[in-house]
Amino acid sequence: MAREPSTVDRRRSAGASPRAARNAAPSEVPEAVSRRVVVERIEPEIDGGRFPIKRTIGESVDVSATIFTDGHDVLTAVLRDRHQRAGFGIRDSGFATEDTEGTEGTARILGSERIPNPESRIPSEWRETPMAMVAPGTDRWTARFDVTAIGWHEYAIVAWVDRFLTWRRDIRVKSAAGQDVAVELLEGALLVRDAANRAADADAAWLLEQADALSDSTPAADRLAVALGEELASAMATYTDRARAVESARRRVWVDRIRARFGAWYEMFPRSAGPDPTRSGTFREASALLPRIADLGFDIVYLPPIHPIGTSVRKGRNNALAAGPGDPGSPWAIGSTAGGHTAVDPGLGRLEDFDAFRREAERLQLEVALDLAWQCSPDHPWVAEHPEWFRHRPDGTIKYAENPPKKYQDIYPFDFECEEWPALWQALLDVTRFWIDRGVKIFRVDNPHTKTFGFWEWMIGEVRADHPEVVFLSEAFTRPAPMRYLAKSGFTQSYTYFTWRNSKAELTEYFTELTTTEVREYLRPNLFANTPDILHAYLQHGGRPAFEARLLLAATLGASYGIYNGFELAEGQAVPGTEEYADSEKYQYRKWDWQRPGNLNELVARVNRIRHAHPALQIDRTLQFHATDNPEIIAYSKTSADGGETIFTIVNLDPHYMQHGHVEIPWMASEESYTVRDLVDDIDYRWRNAWNYVRFDPDIRQGHILWLPKPRT
C-alpha cells in the first residue's frame, strides 16, 4: 500500500538535503537560544510550575537555582517577585475549553470568564532582590522574598553576563600582577559610555565624566582608582546592560491568611447540645457551649453537615441498617423534603438560628467551619430534579455509596462523569457560595479523593477569585499520591496519617517528610488526634495518659491540629475490633458530661494558651528531631521564624509504664548550666550541657513543653 509522502520526502524531491530539512538557518533560530546564560533546577517549584507553592501572610519564599554560563564571565542574577491583584484563570492550570465552547453555560463553568490577560490583571511592580551564590564554584544561587498580601504572587529569575563586572574583575587581577592595563581602561570607558545612554540625565552626565576619566591622559593609577571605585560600580549596577538577559519561566505562589497555617480545631455535633437526649439540640442551645470551647483555647469550631437528613434507608444506632423510633440518622445522608445542601435540619432550627450561632462564635473569637459533603440521601430534592447527576444500575435504580466491604445505603454519590457534569459542578459551586455569603470562611471537605480532581481545582479557583480568605481542609484518608495531588490542586490544609503514626520511628520519619521535602511547599498538615470515624487502638487501650500524649504531639508537632469532642474526656470506648466509636454520635444524640472525672480540660486549655503565646509553635518548617537514649521518648524542637525563641518538646509515647532517659539539646553543649522552663507546669529546671535526664510517670505527666534560652555567645 502506498504511503503519504512525508515532509522530508517532499523536501528531497525539491532538491533539499536531509540536513537542510532538519536544520534551520541561524537567522531562523530564536534569539533566546543564542543567549549564553543557563537557569535551571529552580526551587521551589511544583511539577515544573504546573501548581503553585503556598505561603501565608508574613512568610518568606527562599528561591534557589543553578545558574551558569560558558567561559569565565561574571554573572549577575536577581530574583523578581510581585503580587497579582487579579486571579489566575483556570486555563493557567492546564484546562482547555475548546471541546465545550458550543454548550450553553459551559464556558462559564470552565472558567473562561477568568481567562487571564494583561488587561484583566493588575500586577504590582516587580520587586528585585540580588541573588548570591551559595558557595564558590557551586553555581547554585539563592535569594529570598517576603509575601505580605493574600492572593496570587509570582516570581522569576533574571540572569545575565555582566560585562562591566567581568571587566572590573579582570582589570583588578591584571593590575595586581603588574600588567599594563591601558587598553583595558579604554574598553571600560566604552562600557561606561554605553551605560550613560541608558541612564537618567543627571546620572548620564556623571557617567560620561567617569568615562572621560578612564580614557584621558591622567596617570594610570588615578584611572585605575576610578575603574575600581565603588561609586562607579554602584552606578553601573543601576544601569546594567540586560539586553541579552535570560528570564526563567514565572512560578506562582498562593498566599493565604494566617489561619491557613495556624489554628486549633474543635469538632462538635450541635444536635447533641440539647438537654433532652431524645431530641435534637438546636443552634441556640449549641451556642451555650461555645464559651466552653473558647475557654479551652480553640480557634475554629467545626460542625458536621447541618442539613436535613433523609428518612428512607436511614441508619440506626451504631450504623444499624434500620433506624429505630427517634433515631436521627447520619448527618452525611443529606437531603429530605425539608431541603438539601442550602437548608438547615429542622431539629437545629432555621437559617437565621445558624446565623446567630455564627455571630456568637465570632464574638468569642471562634470561626465556624462547615462540612462540604458532595452526596445526597435518596430523599434529597436533587434526586428527583436531577437524576442525571447520579450513577444508575442496570435495573434503573441509583447506585448507593460503597467502600467494600462497607456499604452506605443511605448515601447517593454524585457521578462527576455524567453528561450533565457542567450543571452539577455549577450547582456545587453555588452551594459553597451560598454559605460563604452567610459568613462561613472555612470548609472541611468530606472525602474529596472520591470526586474528580479537576473539579476541586476549578471550584477552589472560582471561590478564591472572589474570596481569597476562604480555607478548605481536605479530609482524604487515602494513598499518598491522591492526598498530595489534592493539596496541589488548591486545598489549603490536609488531614494526615498522624492518627496511625504512634511509634518514635513512625513519627520521626513521617514528620521529617512533611517538613523537609518538597511536600512542605504545598501540603499543610492538620493533625486531628481523633475524628468521629477514627478512634485508634492507642487511645482505646491507653487510657488518659494516651490522650495526654497524643494531645501534646498533635499540638506541638503541627501548627494546625484538631480534636473531636469527647477527646478531652478521654472517651475511648469503641466497637470491638474496629476504630469506630461505640454509640457513635454519627447515628444518635449523645449527652456529654464535660466535667466528668479524668477530663483533660485544664491540659487542653494550657496547651492552647502556650500555642498562642509562642510563635515557634505556629509554624511547621523549623521542626527538628533530637536524640534520646530511650525509644519510648521522643524529643523535637521548633524555632520561631525570626529565630527569637525555641520550644523543645519531649513526650513519653508509652501510656502504660514509667519511662526515663536522657535527651540531647546539641546547641547547648557548651553551656555548663542553664534554666529551662516547662510551660505546662510553669516549673524551672536547671540543666547542664547537651544531655539531660527526664522521667515520665503516666499517672503524673506524659511530656514537657520547654522554653529554651539562647546559648551564650
Side-chain angles (χ1 to χ4, degrees):
M1 179 181 293
R3 63 178 177 86
E4 290 292 324
S6 68
T7 302
V8 173
D9 292 331
R10 288 192 290 269
R11 289 185 177 179
R12 283 175 175 168
S13 65
S17 70
R19 181 176 298 276
R22 290 195 303 268
N23 298 337
S27 60
E28 298 174 355
V29 175
E31 182 186 354
V33 175
S34 69
R35 296 181 183 178
R36 298 171 55 199
V37 178
V38 176
V39 179
E40 64 181 13
R41 292 181 56 218
I42 297 174
E43 295 178 353
E45 67 172 13
I46 310 303
D47 294 355
R50 164 72 172 84
F51 296 103
I53 65 170
K54 293 174 184 172
R55 291 294 186 273
T56 56
I57 290 176
E59 288 190 302
S60 300
V61 180
D62 290 293
V63 179
S64 62
T66 298
I67 307 173
F68 58 93
T69 187
D70 58 274
H72 305 286
D73 287 333
V74 176
L75 295 181
T76 294
V78 295
L79 173 63
R80 310 179 80 197
D81 74 277
R82 65 180 177 181
H83 176 224
Q84 292 275 12
R85 280 176 267 168
F88 285 76
I90 197 70
R91 197 169 282 176
D92 281 64
S93 297
F95 285 82
T97 60
E98 286 79 359
D99 293 339
T100 54
E101 288 178 351
T103 305
E104 182 179 357
T106 303
R108 183 166 68 91
I109 289 289
L110 290 178
S112 61
E113 288 186 346
R114 301 195 191 283
I115 293 174
N117 57 67
E119 291 72 34
S120 65
R121 291 180 183 171
I122 313 174
S124 58
E125 293 296 320
W126 284 109
R127 174 177 57 177
E128 291 191 347
T129 305
M131 300 189 75
M133 194 178 294
V134 174
T138 63
D139 291 325
R140 196 70 185 162
W141 296 62
T142 186
R144 167 186 294 182
F145 67 93
D146 299 325
V147 291
T148 57
I150 293 176
W152 286 109
H153 293 243
E154 61 180 348
Y155 60 95
I157 293 170
V158 179
W160 61 94
V161 172
D162 196 313
R163 296 173 61 205
F164 176 79
L165 289 183
T166 302
W167 169 83
R168 193 168 184 259
R169 179 203 61 192
D170 291 348
I171 203 171
R172 186 191 302 274
V173 172
K174 291 179 179 180
S175 62
Q179 297 178 11
D180 182 4
V181 294
V183 174
E184 283 81 355
L185 289 170
L186 294 176
E187 291 175 345
L190 294 176
L191 293 175
V192 175
R193 291 184 190 281
D194 183 54
N197 293 330
R198 296 186 294 272
D201 291 344
D203 291 340
W206 184 85
L207 285 168
L208 289 174
E209 292 176 2
Q210 304 309 299
D212 290 341
L214 290 172
S215 58
D216 65 16
S217 59
T218 56
D222 294 341
R223 296 161 65 194
L224 192 61
V226 172
L228 300 179
E230 293 303 321
E231 192 173 6
L232 177 60
S234 176
M236 291 296 288
T238 301
Y239 300 109
T240 187
D241 182 5
R242 297 191 186 185
R244 300 185 68 78
V246 170
E247 180 174 359
S248 72
R250 296 175 186 176
R251 298 293 180 250
R252 298 178 295 162
V253 188
W254 176 258
V255 180
D256 287 294
R257 59 190 176 108
I258 292 175
R259 182 61 67 227
R261 168 173 50 83
F262 168 70
W265 293 55
Y266 186 88
E267 181 176 0
M268 65 171 290
F269 284 72
R271 71 186 191 180
S272 290
D276 183 354
T278 65
R279 68 162 176 85
S280 172
T282 67
F283 275 123
R284 295 191 179 276
E285 290 167 333
S287 294
L289 299 180
L290 292 174
R292 184 188 76 88
I293 298 170
D295 288 344
L296 289 174
F298 288 97
D299 307 294
I300 299 158
V301 56
Y302 154 53
L303 309 181
I306 59 174
H307 316 298
I309 300 170
T311 55
S312 63
V313 205
R314 174 177 286 188
K315 292 294 186 76
R317 296 188 174 209
N318 289 309
N319 202 21
L321 287 178
D327 284 347
S330 167
W332 283 271
I334 297 170
S336 74
T337 55
H341 284 75
T342 57
V344 166
D345 187 82
L348 294 172
R350 302 173 301 168
L351 281 169
E352 292 76 15
D353 298 315
F354 168 77
D355 295 338
F357 176 89
R358 179 188 54 76
R359 287 194 299 269
E360 174 63 7
E362 292 173 355
R363 185 185 72 80
L364 296 167
Q365 298 184 325
L366 288 166
E367 285 196 71
V368 174
L370 288 189
D371 199 280
L372 289 183
W374 296 146
Q375 59 208 30
C376 297
S377 86
D379 307 314
H380 195 294
W382 282 349
V383 174
E385 296 169 2
H386 298 285
E388 68 278 7
W389 290 355
F390 303 90
R391 189 162 295 172
H392 294 256
R393 296 176 182 272
D395 62 1
T397 61
I398 295 177
K399 189 174 184 178
Y400 58 75
E402 293 184 85
N403 183 14
K406 294 182 179 180
K407 295 183 178 182
Y408 304 93
Q409 296 91 338
D410 56 340
I411 292 173
Y412 288 167
F414 291 114
D415 181 4
F416 281 80
E417 293 183 307
C418 68
E419 292 185 2
E420 298 301 320
W421 63 267
L424 171 61
W425 286 25
Q426 184 65 51
L428 300 180
L429 173 62
D430 290 344
V431 168
T432 309
R433 285 174 168 163
F434 174 88
W435 292 107
I436 292 172
D437 290 343
R438 299 199 85 89
V440 178
K441 305 300 181 185
I442 302 179
F443 296 95
R444 178 267 198 189
V445 179
D446 187 65
N447 285 330
H449 59 290
T450 63
K451 287 79 180 173
T452 303
F453 295 121
F455 164 75
W456 296 116
E457 188 171 358
W458 169 78
M459 194 199 85
I460 294 172
E462 289 291 296
V463 169
R464 281 177 170 172
D466 301 315
H467 298 281
E469 73 282 8
V470 172
V471 170
F472 292 94
L473 169 61
S474 166
E475 187 253 1
F477 293 119
T478 183
R479 304 178 310 284
M483 289 177 70
R484 293 173 183 175
Y485 198 89
L486 288 164
K488 293 176 186 179
S489 297
F491 276 95
T492 318
Q493 296 182 355
S494 303
Y495 279 65
T496 68
Y497 301 141
F498 169 69
T499 309
W500 299 278
R501 301 294 185 265
N502 291 277
S503 72
K504 180 178 178 178
E506 290 170 339
L507 289 164
T508 302
E509 179 183 15
Y510 186 48
F511 281 91
T512 298
E513 174 193 342
L514 290 178
T515 59
T516 66
T517 69
E518 180 192 70
V519 175
R520 73 178 186 172
E521 301 293 350
Y522 59 84
L523 189 150
R524 295 195 190 99
N526 192 321
L527 311 186
F528 263 80
N530 68 326
T531 77
D533 298 299
I534 304 170
L535 178 64
H536 192 274
Y538 183 90
L539 297 177
Q540 295 179 33
H541 306 300
R544 189 181 191 276
F547 284 83
E548 289 184 20
R550 296 301 288 181
L551 171 69
L552 292 171
L553 290 168
T556 57
L557 282 171
S560 293
Y561 90 104
I563 64 170
Y564 157 56
N565 69 202
F567 184 95
E568 71 270 41
L569 302 179
E571 176 71 20
Q573 297 300 311
V575 175
T578 75
E579 292 183 342
E580 290 280 341
Y581 276 88
D583 301 322
S584 173
E585 204 169 3
K586 292 191 297 180
Y587 307 107
Q588 66 185 74
Y589 309 126
R590 288 287 301 269
K591 288 296 298 176
W592 299 98
D593 177 5
W594 301 113
Q595 300 302 322
R596 79 186 190 191
N599 70 73
L600 282 74
N601 293 338
E602 184 177 349
L603 179 62
V604 171
R606 189 59 183 255
V607 167
N608 281 335
R609 284 198 298 271
I610 293 169
R611 284 166 49 84
H612 282 103
H614 293 276
L617 295 177
Q618 299 171 17
I619 56 178
D620 290 327
R621 299 171 73 90
T622 61
L623 176 67
Q624 288 186 308
F625 289 94
H626 301 288
T628 72
D629 60 7
N630 183 336
E632 295 294 341
I633 296 175
I634 190 170
Y636 50 91
S637 67
K638 283 185 173 181
T639 301
S640 59
D642 62 4
E645 71 166 8
T646 297
I647 301 298
F648 196 93
T649 303
I650 312 167
V651 179
N652 173 22
L653 302 177
D654 183 352
H656 303 290
Y657 300 103
M658 184 275 291
Q659 298 289 341
H660 66 112
H662 294 80
V663 299
E664 183 188 25
I665 307 177
W667 61 90
M668 303 299 284
S670 62
E671 302 295 315
E672 291 186 2
S673 179
Y674 54 96
T675 299
V676 298
R677 170 167 288 267
D678 186 343
L679 299 173
V680 177
D681 295 329
D682 281 335
I683 295 176
D684 290 343
Y685 296 93
R686 199 69 181 166
W687 282 12
R688 299 175 62 85
N689 307 121
W691 286 90
N692 288 271
Y693 177 79
V694 292
R695 173 190 169 106
F696 300 105
D697 187 328
D699 292 331
I700 300 174
R701 69 166 68 246
Q702 282 295 101
H704 295 293
I705 302 177
L706 302 174
W707 179 88
L708 294 184
K710 288 185 177 180
R712 292 188 295 270
T713 57

